[in-house]
Amino acid sequence: MKRFLYYPRLYTLIVSQYIKARMQYRADFFISSIGILLESGAGFFSLWVIFHSISKLVGWSYNELIFIYAFSLLAITPSQLFFDNIWHLSSHIRQGTFIKYYFRPLNMMFYYMSEVFDIKGFTKLALGIAAFIYASFKLGITWTFPKFILLLTLLFSSSLIMISLMIMASSTCFWTGEASSVLIFVFKFGEYSKYPITIFNSFFKLLFTYIIPIGFVAFYPSKFFLRPTETNILAYLSPVAGILLFVLAYLVWKKGVNSWTGTGS
Amino acid sequence: MNIVKIESLSKHFKILKRSEGFIGAFKDLFSRDYKIIKAVDNISFKVQEGEIIGFLGPNGAGKSTTIKMMSGVLEPTSGSIFINGYIPYKDRKKYVKNIGVVFGQRTQLWWEIPVIESFKILKEIYKIEPHIYNENMKLFNELFNLKALYPIPVRKLSLGQRMLCDIVASFLHNPKIIFFDEPTIGLDVSVKNKVQTLIKDLNKVKKTTIILTSHDTGSVEALCRRLILIDKGSIIYDGDILKFNRIFGAYRTLKVELEQFEGSSIEVLSKTIGEKFPCKLPIPVRKDDDGWISLTINQDEVKLQDVLNYIMKEYPIKDLKIEEIETEDVVRKIYEGELV
Amino acid sequence: MKKYLMIIRNSFMSSIIYRFHFFFTSLSNVFYIIIIYFLWRAIYKGSGGSINGMTFNQTFIYLALAISIFCLFKTWTDWGMSYQIINGIIVMNLIKPMDIQLLEMCNAIGFVFYNFITVTLPALFIIIFIFQPGVITVSNLMLFLLPMVLAFFISFNIDYIIGLTSFYTESIWGISIAKDTIVLLLSGALIPINFFPEILRKIVGFLPFQAIYHIPLTILISKDMSIYEYLKFLGIQLSWAIALYALNRFYYSRAIKVVTVNGG
């Protein structure tokens, strides 16, 4: 039992200290929250403006799109809260400071990610929850207990997909020295996940379902709740896709860690 | 008992050749032109438990690469490495439980978090028993009062303070062996001495095997009994520091800044010094990039004072300093056959 | 003058060194253009061919070019200045015999060249050869150049304001994200200003952001613009450029005290 709790206890210890330290920068938290609200709010604003001119987007209504968008926000939040150190990997690699993560008897990914906990992510979470409640209220979705469990499972899988894609993207810097462009590339795909996959032609539909599986981040799982009768078999694969991708991402990370030469001092 | 066994260890890197200039930067976007760098080339040595040994060598000699292989970061290209019963890069997680590492200017404590909280996190990570933790904390306080630093976040410490905390932290879990990579780099003299005393005292009390690298002879001399001199990836000397000292301890580098000294007359100066003070090998005279002229003098052969007097008589001196021999000069002297 | 040219060159060279980075920056923008192509095609599908007086073709070209210009002007000036403040490097620049604003602008110009090759050229290539817009003429391109230079100057000055603001705040992340969003949204780079509700369109007209994207792009894709209209656009841009520059001079003299008085 004690062994089993080793990592969770360590994580709580490190993160609680980290949050305590970050509390000194209250102004920064406040400004950043405004930034996040604006950034995520811009997406809602765009939808609002666009739906001034049209009533349906490839058969989806305004409120349905709000629902999908909220779902994607909630799915992206965990990657920001728990895996934000991903964004600093390139600079650790270039300055050689990444070396210290080899010296502790810990899982290296755990050690690395535990070092930063982005409290700003809570703002995004709050906005996502608010929009989600608004949309499901407007759409008259009734929430039962099994449905709620399904929602949590799907959100977990979606987060895992997003996290895995981001880990793979940032791991490229073990070989190239700079991953920010790849990260931004993948991060933007996370943002594109708020659109219905059906707007694309068949080639990009395939691409976003199987190769860069952003369809699984928000669109396919949302269909469970929006159009239960139209749900295709693919949506059930969401948790499988999440787990498989995470295993793959972990292997890529591990390969990167082993092949890094530790130069750049 | 040998805690470290290293045999014909090599590490080669493949790096991209960079072209120069504006056009070159463009060309490199598509270039596949690599070259092989032999950072460490076929080295072998053993280390006894409790020993404190120093790796000395100029920048880029392969010290850091060796330490990185020994601490489990890098996989060797060839050769075998066996430390404390493990192959470092293969059994990394188990292996690092019983080692400590301090890497120069890069702290391993948590940047935003107060020092003492970092220690508490380490206590959890290494599953240090409370009585061992308390004993060690008490020992640290006796040897070196760092208590004033404990409540300060690491990012607010000065380089020297951070170094002391990092060193103490590396002993916290009673490791069998500790690696220090350039522990005194960038520190001023008084802090340097503190760091050296701390390492020495802890080694004495804890009997921990210590392997450290440095590019300056002074800190190796202050700490180690055994010295390994490394250059261009190969070991060029491995032995007693006393023997090393007997030969190089007598050397001093005399640096003078002269007024109205033309670059061309360096040959003249070199020649006259050579004629005036005949040695087994002529006294090397060279002009540094900053305009200073440095002479490496073996005091067993020539009195430094005589050379200085001679120069002062011939040229007006603006400024002067006397330093210990530089590692680069040691390496050159060894190639010239001084230590065989 | 020569030292400023060297700075432009150096900032260009240091960004080109990571070739992998280079390819992905290009790819990222290409994908964005593909996404907006499909999104707006879907939006237009339900309508009769023209929304708010713009055809699909016009809207798409407008947005594709707007985001390409956004990427072109993405010079990370604000991030760079914040980094200098946090690490105390700003002091090194203060003792150089150079004007800080000009120094930052030279850095930014180096970035613009880099961005032009990685982002704008591939984007233009795709827009022109794959989507074949047919609305851009050579004479429009010529008229487009001067407004673009002014647009860069305005964009740079907005970045510089944010950079100076970072002298007061601990990190740049929040303000910079907020700035990017506001600029993108209110300049009409995410959705053409023609789509905005009437009141919003009026408000946006009083802000400097439309001078960065809306004005040059309108000049580029309009069919027959009168000289009078062209000069009016230039006048608006020029006034904003001067106003922002003056504001920055004043702001700098205040903000720099954070460094000189508090020691960074």
Side-chain angles (χ1 to χ4, degrees):
Chain A
M1 194 59 195
K2 215 180 162 193
R3 247 183 77 126
F4 189 68
L5 282 176
Y6 177 64
Y7 279 114
R9 268 184 47 193
L10 205 53
Y11 191 80
T12 327
L13 181 65
I14 296 172
V15 166
S16 61
Q17 285 299 331
Y18 178 80
I19 292 178
K20 219 191 263 171
R22 290 304 301 177
M23 279 306 168
Q24 293 171 35
Y25 313 110
R26 231 161 287 167
D28 187 52
F29 174 73
F30 187 67
I31 295 170
S32 302
S33 293
I34 293 175
I36 288 183
L37 283 178
L38 274 171
E39 190 196 23
S40 309
F44 290 114
F45 177 78
S46 302
L47 282 179
W48 181 72
V49 169
I50 288 169
F51 273 86
H52 262 81
S53 309
I54 57 171
S55 58
K56 292 237 155 161
L57 183 69
V58 286
W60 297 87
S61 71
Y62 174 63
N63 285 327
E64 282 177 317
L65 284 179
I66 296 281
F67 185 94
I68 301 174
Y69 188 10
F71 195 99
S72 88
L73 273 185
L74 293 176
I76 293 170
T77 311
S79 78
Q80 183 168 5
L81 281 175
F82 306 110
F83 288 81
D84 203 55
N85 216 10
I86 279 177
W87 292 93
H88 305 131
L89 188 60
S90 291
S91 93
H92 279 301
I93 291 293
R94 256 178 296 140
Q95 291 166 11
T97 41
F98 186 75
I99 198 159
K100 73 170 186 184
Y101 301 101
Y102 290 83
F103 301 144
R104 302 274 181 232
L106 295 173
N107 176 289
M108 277 179 72
M109 188 189 273
F110 169 86
Y111 180 21
Y112 183 73
M113 299 302 173
S114 70
E115 221 175 42
V116 173
F117 180 88
D118 190 12
I119 38 176
K120 299 192 293 285
F122 283 129
T123 314
K124 206 178 227 169
L125 188 69
L127 187 71
I129 291 174
F132 193 84
I133 291 171
Y134 168 84
S136 64
F137 180 74
K138 279 273 178 184
L139 291 164
I141 297 172
T142 46
W143 289 100
T144 57
F145 185 68
K147 241 187 188 176
F148 190 67
I149 294 296
L150 181 69
L151 175 70
L152 289 184
T153 314
L154 290 173
L155 273 176
F156 179 76
S157 331
S158 300
S159 306
L160 214 50
I161 293 172
M162 211 45 223
I163 288 165
S164 311
L165 291 176
M166 299 282 280
I167 289 174
M168 282 192 260
S170 70
S171 297
T172 57
C173 76
F174 286 116
W175 294 279
T176 64
E178 174 64 67
S180 60
S181 55
V182 194
L183 261 176
I184 292 171
F185 181 75
V186 171
F187 183 73
K188 275 192 182 158
F189 275 109
E191 297 196 326
Y192 304 151
S193 70
K194 62 180 178 241
Y195 302 122
I197 294 292
T198 41
I199 65 170
F200 298 106
N201 66 10
S202 49
F203 172 77
F204 284 100
K205 246 183 253 170
L206 283 177
L207 182 74
F208 293 143
T209 305
Y210 298 106
I211 313 294
I212 311 170
I214 52 164
F216 286 106
V217 174
F219 181 65
Y220 292 131
S222 293
K223 274 177 98 177
F224 268 113
F225 308 101
L226 298 175
R227 310 268 172 94
T229 50
E230 286 175 29
T231 307
N232 61 6
I233 186 82
L234 273 177
Y236 291 99
L237 289 176
S238 197
V240 182
I243 291 164
L244 279 181
L245 263 180
F246 189 76
V247 171
L248 185 65
Y250 186 73
L251 290 176
V252 173
W253 158 275
K254 210 158 177 204
K255 183 104 182 109
V257 162
N258 288 336
S259 66
W260 184 54
T261 55
T263 45
S265 48
Chain B
M1 209 191 95
N2 286 323
I3 188 164
V4 176
K5 271 177 262 173
I6 285 178
E7 222 145 303
S8 13
L9 190 70
S10 294
K11 181 74 193 176
H12 299 171
F13 292 116
K14 204 172 92 175
I15 62 160
L16 184 69
K17 274 190 199 162
R18 292 246 174 242
S19 319
E20 272 179 29
F22 207 69
I23 309 286
F26 256 110
K27 265 198 208 150
D28 283 347
L29 280 174
F30 309 98
S31 161
R32 306 206 119 270
D33 196 6
Y34 293 98
K35 63 177 171 196
I36 301 282
I37 301 276
K38 292 181 179 174
V40 172
D41 195 21
N42 196 19
I43 62 169
S44 308
F45 62 92
K46 288 184 176 125
V47 180
Q48 292 257 310
E49 233 180 307
E51 239 186 316
I52 166 160
I53 74 164
F55 269 88
L56 182 68
N59 290 324
K63 295 166 296 182
S64 280
T65 309
T66 310
I67 287 261
K68 279 172 192 163
M69 284 192 277
M70 292 173 82
S71 52
V73 178
L74 290 181
E75 186 180 340
T77 310
S78 63
S80 76
I81 179 165
F82 211 63
I83 300 175
N84 196 27
Y86 294 100
I87 301 168
Y89 67 94
K90 266 196 186 149
D91 320 303
R92 189 193 67 82
K93 233 161 85 181
K94 277 186 212 145
Y95 167 68
V96 296
K97 251 181 209 159
N98 287 309
I99 70 162
V101 187
V102 178
F103 258 71
Q105 300 183 329
R106 302 161 197 162
T107 182
Q108 285 168 52
L109 303 172
W110 284 259
W111 194 241
E112 306 264 4
I113 296 178
V115 175
I116 189 71
E117 300 298 339
S118 274
F119 285 2
K120 284 182 190 157
I121 293 171
L122 289 176
K123 176 175 174 257
E124 289 298 313
I125 288 179
Y126 290 98
K127 299 170 189 157
I128 305 172
E129 297 293 331
H131 72 273
I132 294 177
Y133 178 81
N134 292 336
E135 239 167 59
N136 277 342
M137 292 302 280
K138 215 177 104 196
L139 174 71
F140 300 155
N141 284 334
E142 278 164 14
L143 286 179
F144 219 93
N145 196 4
L146 291 174
K147 260 191 176 156
L149 303 179
Y150 287 170
I152 305 173
V154 174
R155 68 186 177 91
K156 285 194 177 155
L157 298 178
S158 73
L159 182 62
Q161 292 171 327
R162 221 162 67 200
M163 200 63 219
L164 293 170
C165 290
D166 259 306
I167 291 172
V168 161
S170 73
F171 279 92
L172 199 60
H173 56 289
N174 288 345
K176 300 276 272 190
I177 180 164
I178 302 186
F179 302 96
F180 291 105
D181 192 33
E182 301 277 5
T184 53
I185 200 166
L187 302 179
D188 60 50
V189 181
S190 72
V191 185
K192 211 178 206 171
N193 289 337
K194 277 186 196 166
V195 165
Q196 285 164 358
T197 329
L198 183 61
I199 295 177
K200 225 174 176 171
D201 290 352
L202 281 168
N203 166 260
K204 209 180 274 165
V205 180
K206 297 239 156 219
K207 303 276 181 287
T208 316
T209 312
I210 288 177
I211 295 180
L212 69 91
T213 72
S214 184
H215 70 283
D216 90 298
T217 42
S219 48
V220 173
E221 275 171 25
L223 284 166
C224 310
R225 293 267 301 280
R226 178 175 158 204
L227 167 85
I228 295 179
L229 195 60
I230 184 164
D231 182 56
K232 296 191 188 104
S234 303
I235 292 177
I236 55 177
Y237 174 76
D238 178 355
D240 200 326
I241 192 115
L242 292 175
K243 184 182 167 199
F244 181 86
N245 258 349
R246 255 200 318 276
I247 296 162
F248 292 106
Y251 278 97
R252 289 291 179 274
T253 303
L254 170 65
K255 290 190 166 187
V256 288
E257 196 180 14
L258 303 177
E259 258 168 71
Q260 301 149 353
F261 187 81
E262 300 292 318
S264 57
S265 42
I266 188 93
E267 280 85 25
V268 182
L269 181 68
S270 178
K271 202 165 157 243
T272 48
I273 295 258
E275 283 163 4
K276 202 99 176 75
F277 305 98
C279 296
K280 207 167 70 193
L281 293 161
I283 294 173
V285 181
R286 62 159 197 269
K287 194 168 180 206
D288 296 338
D289 294 335
D290 51 9
W292 287 69
I293 295 176
S294 55
L295 304 95
T296 310
I297 296 159
N298 183 351
Q299 288 174 297
D300 291 344
E301 289 183 297
V302 178
K303 268 186 161 168
L304 192 142
Q305 199 187 346
D306 295 343
V307 182
L308 184 58
N309 281 340
Y310 171 74
I311 297 176
M312 275 165 81
K313 210 172 66 202
E314 298 294 313
Y315 305 90
I317 288 189
K318 230 188 337 192
D319 201 357
L320 78 95
K321 46 188 172 186
I322 296 164
E323 289 174 354
E324 284 182 62
I325 186 166
E326 282 171 16
T327 313
E328 283 78 1
D329 291 319
V330 172
V331 169
R332 198 158 34 80
K333 292 258 161 221
I334 287 176
Y335 284 136
E336 284 168 0
E338 195 99 348
L339 205 70
V340 188
Chain C
M1 193 58 212
K2 206 175 163 205
K3 63 188 173 193
Y4 290 107
L5 282 175
M6 279 308 280
I7 292 165
I8 295 178
R9 183 172 173 274
N10 283 343
S11 106
F12 176 81
M13 298 262 292
S14 53
S15 42
I16 205 168
I17 225 168
Y18 296 103
R19 48 181 171 174
F20 194 65
H21 189 64
F22 187 106
F23 296 129
F24 260 91
T25 312
S26 308
L27 202 60
S28 201
N29 191 51
V30 167
F31 258 99
Y32 183 81
I33 291 174
I34 292 168
I35 301 274
I36 55 171
Y37 174 81
F38 284 113
L39 177 64
W40 285 87
R41 203 187 59 162
I43 291 171
Y44 268 86
K45 240 178 205 162
S47 75
S50 155
I51 305 177
N52 297 319
M54 285 174 88
T55 65
F56 166 65
N57 227 351
Q58 277 175 321
T59 306
F60 169 66
I61 299 293
Y62 178 96
L63 291 173
L65 287 173
I67 202 67
S68 303
I69 298 176
F70 177 78
C71 294
L72 182 70
F73 291 165
K74 185 85 192 152
T75 56
W76 308 98
T77 302
D78 39 358
W79 292 83
M81 289 172 73
S82 150
Y83 179 80
Q84 287 179 23
I85 272 288
I86 289 170
N87 293 289
I89 310 169
I90 187 92
V91 182
M92 301 305 293
N93 283 338
L94 282 176
I95 57 174
K96 281 181 196 158
M98 292 189 212
D99 181 71
I100 294 273
Q101 192 171 1
L102 198 54
L103 188 85
E104 289 301 331
M105 196 160 92
C106 290
N107 263 324
I109 292 172
F111 258 110
V112 167
F113 281 124
Y114 171 77
N115 290 339
F116 183 74
I117 297 165
T118 51
V119 179
T120 314
L121 268 187
L124 283 177
F125 186 81
I126 291 203
I127 294 165
I128 292 173
F129 289 98
I130 298 184
F131 297 111
Q132 296 184 337
V135 283
I136 300 168
T137 63
V138 178
S139 64
N140 274 10
L141 265 177
M142 301 292 283
L143 291 173
F144 178 63
L145 282 178
L146 186 55
M148 271 301 279
V149 173
L150 287 168
F152 165 72
F153 191 73
I154 295 169
S155 167
F156 166 75
N157 272 291
I158 292 173
D159 278 4
Y160 190 73
I161 292 177
I162 304 297
L164 287 178
T165 307
S166 78
F167 285 23
Y168 297 100
T169 59
E170 203 264 331
S171 88
I172 186 78
W173 197 90
I175 341 170
S176 186
I177 292 276
K179 177 215 68 184
D180 275 359
T181 308
I182 289 171
V183 169
L184 273 172
L185 207 59
L186 299 187
S187 65
L190 286 182
I191 300 170
I193 289 177
N194 290 355
F195 279 71
F196 286 14
E198 184 62 32
I199 311 163
L200 252 167
R201 224 182 308 172
K202 278 213 176 105
I203 298 171
V204 166
F206 289 108
L207 298 172
F209 309 114
Q210 52 140 2
I212 309 175
Y213 305 99
H214 188 67
I215 289 180
L217 286 175
T218 309
I219 291 170
L220 185 66
I221 52 177
S222 73
K223 291 219 173 65
D224 39 10
M225 180 170 284
S226 65
I227 278 287
Y228 167 74
E229 216 175 340
Y230 183 68
L231 289 178
K232 195 185 102 186
F233 273 147
L234 280 188
I236 296 174
Q237 279 193 312
L238 207 58
S239 334
W240 275 118
I242 293 167
L244 286 172
Y245 181 75
L247 173 70
N248 270 335
R249 283 283 142 183
F250 171 72
Y251 192 18
Y252 174 79
S253 65
R254 303 293 297 273
I256 200 65
K257 291 208 174 97
V258 177
V259 184
T260 52
V261 176
N262 302 336

